[in-house]
Amino acid sequence: MSETHMPKDKGLDHTLKLLDEGYRFVTNRSDKFESRIFETRLLGEKTICMVGEKEAELFYDNTRFSRKDATPGRIQKTLFGEGGVQGLDGAEHHHRKAMFMSLMTKAGLEEMSAIIREEWEREIKQHSNTEIQIYQAAKHILTQAALRWTGVPYQEADVPEWADQLSDMFEEAGTVGWNHWQARSSRAKAEERIAGLLERIRKKSAEVSKDSPVYHFAMHRDLDGELLDVQIAAVELLNLLRPITAIAVYIDFVLLAVYDYPEEVEKLASEEDIQHFIQEVRRFYPFFPVAPARVKEDFNWNGYTFEEGTLTLLDLYGTNHDPDIWDRPDSFQPERFQAWKESPFNFIPQGGGEFNIGHRCAGEWMTIDVLKTTLDFFVNNLSFEFTEQDLSYEMNDIPPVPKSGVIIKEAQLKK
Ligand code: HEM
């Protein structure tokens, strides 16, 4: 194919613009260039940005892109940790990913939903006379649920500390200065605590159920038949605990949608309606902005040259708002999912492609189930009111939690 010139963002570096424009950085430029692929410079490095379904299909082609060294060091030291599944390729990745996916059984997911319902009931009974800030409450509930579900032994009094450490990792991952160091310190402390536990499980001096995820991760063997380095096993256990706590961001958006779109809440009659509402929340609101990879070897696609080693970002938020895929993408319409033609690349809030052989989020089914359980609980088992509050959020804040955190009052379980 003949070569096409890839549009290029003028200027030395656009990192500050990325911080300023946030979720709209890629689409602002793809609209300006009238191109779904363009070149820019971020953190001093040539970077290709892409948005759209076909582009997602290309991005998730394992023969074209690799995850090795794709995530910036400062994000690894806070959000992901070092040596985890996110940075692996090929057979090593498939084997490690299977360790996660084997937990996502029907029984495992049902157990999580049951825990979530129980924890919300407990929360409401304890706070029926006070206001409840949903984001804070959800972080606490989800941390407790994450510890229970993974089988990590814990004291109830320690849950706030666990919740703070896990939240620092995703709330402060993209920050600079003090907050960044706070996130690094929280990760270091959590990794140390978990590595100690995993060592004790291996030496049989800590008792945990042999069916539990924590036992499974402690005893997991890599392709060479060796137990995982204990530090890496700790990083992987945090790859369960941290994102389970992070579902709080979506729970906050679910409640924000309940506030903003009462006419859509009125329509929630069946489990399918609940599912569509949740899917629209995951499509509509911003959360995970982009996924990173590097070009494996030089190749040409649609006339564009991709050079080996080039950092490439796929815009997840932009693809979920792509007018070529979604009719009126900026309006909240759960019923759009009724006649939705699903592909692994057209709806990608938690990444696209395949679960087992690709990097699509291992916890996507769990996230959907937790959100469905929570929405069902709030609309069918609870009466409550919203307080007067500032529900605005910033499109360059990652994650973009509404200012007031969404506050409800007079919450009562329905008889
Ligand atoms: C809170 C909502 C969540 C969001 C927005 C989210 C988003 C994502 C995204 C965007 C990716 C990367 C996709 C890519 O690189 O192409 C990812 C990967 C991953 N997620 Fe999630 N996630 C969430 C919840 C969860 C949960 C609940 C779990 C575990 C219980 C989980 C575990 C993982 C793991 C292990 C990976 C790495 C997969 C791989 O590299 O193969 N996530 N997630």
Side-chain angles (χ1 to χ4, degrees), residues 324-380:
D324 279 10
I325 306 175
W326 309 99
D327 178 38
R328 298 209 291 140
D330 294 325
S331 82
F332 186 86
Q333 297 173 1
E335 64 271 20
R336 70 170 80 244
F337 282 95
Q338 278 167 10
W340 173 49
K341 297 227 173 359
E342 179 178 1
S343 93
F345 308 106
N346 62 5
F347 176 45
I348 52 173
Q350 294 178 231
E354 303 292 331
F355 290 98
N356 296 318
I357 58 159
H359 286 270
R360 193 176 189 120
C361 174
E364 187 165 19
W365 303 327
M366 180 184 283
T367 306
I368 294 171
D369 283 1
V370 166
L371 296 178
K372 279 170 66 177
T373 303
T374 301
L375 178 60
D376 179 54
F377 176 74
F378 273 81
V379 298
N380 292 321

Side-chain angles (χ1 to χ4, degrees), residues 21 55 100 230:
E21 296 172 39
E55 291 69 16
F100 286 88
V230 76

Side-chain angles (χ1 to χ4, degrees), residues 290-339:
V290 294
R294 282 189 189 276
V295 178
K296 257 188 176 164
E297 287 174 8
D298 290 3
F299 68 88
N300 189 285
W301 188 77
N302 283 355
Y304 294 126
T305 301
F306 287 74
E307 281 173 5
E308 181 178 341
T310 310
L311 179 63
T312 306
L313 304 180
L314 175 69
D315 183 356
L316 305 179
Y317 176 79
T319 304
N320 291 335
H321 289 255
D322 181 354
D324 279 10
I325 306 175
W326 309 99
D327 178 38
R328 298 209 291 140
D330 294 325
S331 82
F332 186 86
Q333 297 173 1
E335 64 271 20
R336 70 170 80 244
F337 282 95
Q338 278 167 10

Side-chain angles (χ1 to χ4, degrees), residues 59-60 67 80 84-88 93 97 100 104 112 149 236 239-250 282 287-292 314 316 348-352 354-356 358-364 366-367:
F59 182 85
Y60 284 103
R67 296 305 177 105
F80 291 152
V85 63
Q86 292 94 342
L88 302 182
H93 172 257
K97 188 68 174 283
F100 286 88
M104 303 300 160
M112 178 53 107
W149 187 79
E236 299 298 31
N239 270 333
L240 290 176
L241 299 174
R242 181 199 70 252
I244 293 175
T245 299
I247 301 174
V249 175
Y250 271 151
R282 294 195 314 130
F287 191 168
F288 220 99
V290 294
L314 175 69
L316 305 179
I348 52 173
Q350 294 178 231
E354 303 292 331
F355 290 98
N356 296 318
H359 286 270
R360 193 176 189 120
C361 174
E364 187 165 19
M366 180 184 283
T367 306

